[in-house]
Amino acid sequence: DDYWPTFNRTNVTLVAEGGVSKVCEKGVVTGDGGVYNVDVLVYATGFDAFSGGFKGFEVKGPDGERLVEHWADGPKTLFG
């Protein structure tokens, strides 16, 4: 199982305390002011992503539209 050892890799940072306060062009800014340049950002929202998980925090697009507003008629994905 490679799950737990992944957190000990030098190129992996788990951000839990304080969370992510915003996503910028090059990465993320954490609640404590830390800035992380990233190639990939994984949001782990649990199993309730479409009906509740994204209501617990605000996700906005570049034009300011909130994800819950964009998905008001149901989520849209690449293939359906």
Side-chain angles (χ1 to χ4, degrees), residues 28-52:
V28 297
V29 180
T30 60
D32 63 1
V35 179
Y36 295 89
N37 294 331
V38 299
D39 295 317
V40 175
L41 177 63
V42 178
Y43 275 112
T45 61
F47 296 102
D48 197 18
F50 295 122
S51 61

Side-chain angles (χ1 to χ4, degrees), residues 2-42:
D2 294 334
Y3 179 76
W4 292 113
T6 298
F7 295 108
N8 294 322
R9 293 175 53 164
T10 57
N11 65 336
V12 172
T13 302
L14 175 64
V15 175
E17 286 294 319
V20 173
S21 63
K22 70 178 183 175
V23 178
C24 59
E25 185 174 314
K26 294 186 177 185
V28 297
V29 180
T30 60
D32 63 1
V35 179
Y36 295 89
N37 294 331
V38 299
D39 295 317
V40 175
L41 177 63
V42 178

Side-chain angles (χ1 to χ4, degrees), residues 46-68:
F47 296 102
D48 197 18
F50 295 122
S51 61
F54 283 112
K55 294 177 183 175
F57 58 94
E58 191 166 54
V59 176
K60 291 183 180 179
D63 61 355
E65 182 183 23
R66 295 174 55 225
L67 183 61
V68 295

